[in-house]
């Protein structure tokens, strides 16, 4: 383990370290073919990602149950609304 991230091994390299030999399975560890887009994690505001996750899991019943809290946060109250 290195403090300087520039000196750390990549995940690909770390999985091939002898310490992980018993856990390593080349056939079960796909490597991304390109850059992974993490832009969804850069939502503005303190609750941006939380809001997206909540919307993904929300149902009409959940929205009805959480109505007061959603109103207090200024979040949408219907699935059809802009989140």
């Amino acid at each position: 383990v290195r403090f300087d991230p520039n000196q750390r091994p990549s995940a690909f390299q770390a999985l091939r370290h002898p310490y992980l030999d018993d856990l390593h399975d080349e056939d079960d560890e796909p490597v991304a073919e390109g850059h992974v887009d993490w832009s969804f994690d850069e939502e503005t505001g303190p609750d941006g990602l939380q809001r997206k996750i909540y919307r993904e899991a929300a149902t009409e019943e959940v929205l009805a149950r959480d109505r007061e809290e959603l109103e207090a946060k200024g979040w949408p109250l219907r699935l059809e609304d802009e989140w």
Side-chain angles (χ1 to χ4, degrees), residues 23-64:
L23 303 172
H24 173 60
D25 180 1
E26 186 97 21
D27 296 330
D28 192 34
E29 296 163 2
V31 176
E33 296 178 9
H35 176 74
V36 176
D37 180 11
W38 289 96
S39 62
F40 70 87
D41 199 23
E42 297 172 3
E43 293 296 316
T44 57
D47 60 359
L49 187 56
Q50 180 185 18
R51 186 179 199 152
K52 277 191 159 189
I53 292 170
Y54 183 90
R55 168 58 187 97
E56 189 172 314
T59 64
E60 293 296 339
E61 293 82 14
V62 170
L63 293 175

Side-chain angles (χ1 to χ4, degrees), residues 60 63-64 66-68 70-71 75-79 81 83:
E60 293 296 339
L63 293 175
D66 297 346
R67 185 174 189 85
E68 287 183 28
L70 294 172
E71 287 176 336
W75 288 15
L77 302 175
R78 300 178 325 153
L79 294 174
D81 292 342
W83 283 76

